[in-house]
Amino acid sequence: MQPEAIGQKLLDWYAAHQRRLPWRETSDPWAIWISEVMLQQTQVATVIPYYHRFMHRFPTPRHLAGADVQEVLKLWEGLGYYSRARHLHRAAGVVVSRYHGQVPDDPAIFRTLPGVGDYIAAAVLSIAFGRVIAVVDGNVKRVLARLFELEHPVNRSGSHKFFQPLADRLITPHQPADFNQAMMELGALVCRPKNPDCGHCPLFGLCRANRNRTTADYPRRDAARKRPHRHLAIGVIVKKEKLLVVQRPMDGFLGGLWEFPAIPAMPEKNVDRAIETELADEIGLRIGVDRLLTRIRHAYTHFTLSADVYLCRYLSGRVRLKRAPSHRWVTFRSLQRLPLHKANHKFLENLKKVLGKG
């Protein structure tokens, strides 16, 4: 290993080839923090418009801390991994209440903030404050795996302990921000998962996988588990031109978002009957099924989903929820002001036409 040679080649390449991105045009720790949270498991092109909108509305921790979490989730809508938004909201409150609205530059303190793990801590502290802490994300692991022909699977949680020390030894102490961004940029633009552009890689002559023609064999990965499939029956319940929506528990999957009430369903079930009994029991109402509105499919990280969406009419009763923490009767127009998850968005156009709102 030649840390100095690797570091300098990376820095030279980054100076010449780095992308112009909005968060690279500021030294504001808050803006850098927001960008790094958004970039976790999300592509740059997707993040850019969300980043601009979020920073326009919440330019400081005080602005975010003072906002209602529902507004925060609405601005995050479509970006996915909503716990990131909830953690940011909570972290902003801590920064305001304990640190006078200033993002702390002490690693021990910064790591205590909600949602801050190894990656966020390393990225923000190195880029915003020049702390010599190496970032290890998926892009960096891929570069290191090929550079040194590492056998440790990149998708195995226990492998992190092998990648982090390597990155720590390579980081250039006089330019930690540029080094970390160079490693991530190299993985994103050149050392890609498929068809890496080895001919334009600054580490071409130092890479073991390139030298041994084993680039396609790295990084190693454990075989992915087959994602389970879930089937739902969703009820769109109409009462005097208003629709019933329920809120998901704040700390759970898709926490804090709103949705139409639903129940697990099996294809062999009489779904109309299940909605009129099981779903009605979940919400405390008597309802009737008018017709099937549409069928949707959606894929999440850990499971796939299919759902039959039924248009239902309210018959009688008051809402008494068994599991959801809250409910609202909303017009179609006000529905669009609530943060809804993507699976529900997939049938809004169908619903709009049926309700005569198109």
Side-chain angles (χ1 to χ4, degrees), residues 177-253:
D178 286 347
F179 175 86
N180 278 334
Q181 292 182 95
M183 285 287 280
M184 292 187 286
E185 194 84 327
L186 187 69
L189 300 183
V190 176
C191 196
R192 301 181 295 255
K194 296 181 180 179
N195 303 314
D197 189 8
C198 297
H200 291 94
C201 179
L203 306 181
F204 179 87
L206 301 172
C207 179
R208 292 180 186 173
N210 178 66
R211 185 166 60 244
N212 296 327
R213 298 183 180 180
T214 58
T215 305
D217 299 329
Y218 295 93
R220 305 290 198 198
R221 300 184 67 87
D222 284 337
R225 296 179 181 177
K226 185 178 180 180
R227 287 185 291 181
H229 183 77
R230 300 178 187 175
H231 188 82
L232 297 180
I234 298 174
V236 178
I237 302 163
V238 184
K239 177 186 178 184
K240 296 180 180 178
E241 296 192 351
K242 288 194 174 182
L243 310 167
L244 178 66
V245 289
V246 296
Q247 188 179 30
R248 297 182 67 90
M250 190 61 69
D251 293 329
F253 177 64

Side-chain angles (χ1 to χ4, degrees), residues 124-143:
V124 175
L125 294 172
S126 66
I127 296 169
F129 299 113
R131 293 280 186 170
V132 185
I133 309 173
V135 165
V136 176
D137 70 348
N139 285 322
V140 173
K141 283 182 179 179
R142 187 164 57 254
V143 171

Side-chain angles (χ1 to χ4, degrees), residues 36 40 107 110-126 133-137 141 157 159-161 163-165 168 180 184:
E36 290 299 337
Q40 282 188 295
F110 190 66
R111 280 298 308 269
T112 65
L113 297 174
V116 174
D118 290 337
Y119 168 77
I120 291 296
V124 175
L125 294 172
S126 66
I133 309 173
V135 165
V136 176
D137 70 348
K141 283 182 179 179
S157 58
S159 294
H160 185 82
K161 63 186 177 184
F163 288 91
Q164 187 68 56
D168 291 339
N180 278 334
M184 292 187 286

Side-chain angles (χ1 to χ4, degrees), residues 66-127:
D68 186 277
V69 69
Q70 289 293 293
E71 182 187 3
V72 179
L73 290 171
K74 184 63 180 177
L75 267 180
W76 204 273
E77 187 180 60
L79 197 55
Y81 301 97
Y82 291 92
S83 61
R84 296 181 295 177
R86 299 195 304 272
H87 287 147
L88 268 176
H89 185 251
R90 289 172 51 210
V94 176
V95 168
V96 169
S97 63
R98 296 185 188 175
Y99 307 112
H100 311 290
Q102 301 299 310
V103 178
D105 65 352
D106 184 320
I109 294 175
F110 190 66
R111 280 298 308 269
T112 65
L113 297 174
V116 174
D118 290 337
Y119 168 77
I120 291 296
V124 175
L125 294 172
S126 66
I127 296 169

Side-chain angles (χ1 to χ4, degrees), residues 257-290:
L257 300 183
W258 294 80
E259 64 185 3
F260 291 95
I263 54 170
M266 300 301 291
E268 63 270 15
K269 274 189 176 182
N270 182 323
V271 181
D272 288 25
R273 181 63 180 160
I275 288 177
E276 292 177 353
T277 56
E278 296 172 31
L279 181 60
D281 185 58
E282 281 289 320
I283 57 179
L285 298 178
R286 283 187 63 239
I287 57 177
V289 175
D290 282 342

